[in-house]
Amino acid sequence: MIISKKINDLVKKYHENKLSHAFLLVTNDINKCNKDIMELIKEISCPNKYQDACQDCNLCYQIENDVIPNIKKIYPDGQQIKKSQILELKEQFKTKPLYVANNIYIINNAEKLNSAAANTMLKFLEEPENSILGFFVTTNKEAMLETIKSRCQIIYNPYDNENITEILNLTDQQLEEFTEIAKEYLPKLINKTEDGIYLNKKYILSVFTEREQIIKFYNYLYWQISEKINSPQKQRELDFWKNIAFAKLLKIQKALFNVLESSLFNVNIELLLDNFALEMEKL
Ligand SMILES: [Zn+2]
């Protein structure tokens, strides 16, 4: 299995003793994300020098098979993650970890923590112990309590955005910014609301000050839409793409492609935005 680059960074941080004690992983593939977390746990626990998919040691085998009592995975019980589940976790983690260096919890669909559970969790997060490592995994960061988010190191979309962050050389913060801007910008543009098409240029120029940022942003949009086109049935983080007809998606992709192509020829940025708006108007 190829370990996500971000997970590798965490391993490095762990060995440098710089690892946070709680993480929020924003993803759209919970299972895949769990696999990566398990790889991370193996990496930091394996008594042999860990190699990809260590088959040789007992410990990695046990981690892989979810039989280590110090590693606790929590899933929603019905529609919610309940307080009793968190209390049980706390009770279990009162004892020092036996087989691995840390007591580790993974809370899946963390946006489903109900408020009583979240409050219990909060107390847990406020008094972190060195021996506890926590992972919150969510597909919907917006639905999560601010108080929990603020206590976690946020790792954005470890899969789907891995390539884009590398290709476009984006920081996690930039990626988050772009996602927010796109959320506001695209629905307006696509639904051809007045301020969408006609203020297209004005809007972009109001949020970005540099040409380079604008091009990066359009690259980001192009990447997002291409992903959507390549995997139409897959749930995307940017769910506004979901309600757009496939043929339309292809046209938007083409319009974005034209922007990016023109950008290579040093075309004036305002002209570029005008051309994009024109193409979008034809949709
Ligand atoms: Zn091992």
Side-chain angles (χ1 to χ4, degrees):
M1 179 209 251
I2 299 159
I3 298 174
S4 148
K5 183 182 166 291
K6 292 198 180 171
I7 299 282
N8 267 332
D9 289 344
L10 295 184
V11 173
K12 222 174 109 205
K13 284 220 173 82
Y14 178 86
H15 291 303
E16 291 166 357
N17 247 330
K18 286 187 204 150
L19 199 62
S20 312
H21 59 89
F23 298 90
L24 172 61
L25 298 154
V26 185
T27 183
N28 51 21
D29 193 333
I30 297 238
N31 288 334
K32 217 167 157 195
C33 196
N34 266 265
K35 282 203 175 119
D36 266 3
I37 296 170
M38 297 318 266
E39 290 299 313
L40 167 70
I41 297 169
K42 285 192 225 167
E43 275 239 20
I44 61 181
S45 313
C46 179
N48 304 332
K49 200 166 159 38
Y50 181 86
Q51 285 175 344
D52 216 10
C54 168
Q55 306 273 343
D56 302 330
C57 78
N58 255 330
L59 188 61
C60 284
Y61 180 81
Q62 290 177 80
I63 294 171
E64 179 70 32
N65 288 282
D66 279 337
V67 290
I68 303 277
N70 311 99
I71 303 171
K72 213 35 201 147
K73 288 184 186 172
I74 291 180
Y75 288 91
D77 177 5
Q79 284 304 303
Q80 296 182 326
I81 297 172
K82 295 170 181 156
K83 186 178 173 182
S84 56
Q85 292 175 274
I86 305 300
L87 286 175
E88 196 186 311
L89 175 77
K90 284 176 96 167
E91 201 50 44
Q92 277 186 307
F93 281 7
K94 271 185 183 155
T95 51
K96 287 257 172 293
L98 271 179
Y99 307 97
V100 285
N102 305 83
N103 279 317
I104 300 168
Y105 61 84
I106 303 165
I107 299 191
N108 290 294
N109 298 100
E111 74 282 358
K112 298 208 163 130
L113 280 160
N114 70 21
S115 56
N119 279 329
T120 311
M121 200 66 233
L122 212 53
K123 282 180 207 146
F124 203 34
L125 281 171
E126 277 164 353
E127 299 149 28
E129 285 177 46
N130 283 335
S131 58
I132 297 181
L133 256 181
F135 298 90
F136 295 85
V137 183
T138 185
T139 53
N140 185 358
K141 179 171 144 269
E142 307 311 315
M144 283 194 60
L145 276 186
E146 200 51 53
T147 41
I148 293 204
K149 281 191 268 188
S150 65
R151 283 172 175 83
C152 292
Q153 184 186 335
I154 299 176
I155 299 177
Y156 213 89
N157 234 344
Y159 305 101
D160 304 278
N161 286 313
E162 185 160 47
N163 291 333
I164 197 175
T165 48
E166 269 172 36
I167 292 165
L168 301 183
N169 195 16
L170 297 177
T171 61
D172 286 353
Q173 199 197 339
Q174 267 178 324
L175 183 61
E176 203 162 334
E177 257 173 44
F178 281 7
T179 308
E180 289 304 311
I181 294 168
K183 265 184 195 161
E184 188 170 344
Y185 173 59
L186 279 170
K188 283 183 184 170
L189 195 66
I190 288 158
N191 298 324
K192 296 194 194 177
T193 57
E194 233 170 88
D195 56 344
I197 293 297
Y198 301 108
L199 295 184
N200 168 40
K201 186 164 81 179
K202 213 168 151 191
Y203 176 80
I204 290 292
L205 294 175
S206 74
V207 279
F208 297 111
T209 49
E210 287 165 28
R211 177 192 169 91
E212 195 200 347
Q213 282 179 306
I214 299 174
I215 305 299
K216 258 193 188 184
F217 178 66
Y218 279 101
N219 256 303
Y220 161 86
L221 293 180
Y222 179 76
W223 185 88
Q224 290 283 8
I225 200 167
S226 304
E227 277 285 290
K228 173 71 185 168
I229 286 167
N230 293 334
S231 54
Q233 71 279 56
K234 214 170 122 193
Q235 175 107 18
R236 308 298 322 160
E237 170 74 12
L238 294 168
D239 54 8
F240 49 76
W241 296 118
K242 266 194 323 215
N243 304 316
I244 306 168
F246 196 71
K248 221 178 198 185
L249 286 178
L250 290 173
K251 284 185 188 162
I252 303 168
Q253 187 194 33
K254 181 84 176 99
L256 286 166
F257 181 80
N258 289 343
V259 170
L260 296 174
E261 205 180 35
S262 313
S263 75
L264 297 174
F265 299 103
N266 234 357
V267 174
N268 172 286
I269 197 74
E270 295 207 16
L271 182 64
L272 219 122
L273 294 171
D274 283 338
N275 287 342
F276 180 62
L278 267 175
E279 290 206 40
M280 292 300 288
E281 213 160 354
K282 282 189 252 161
L283 284 182

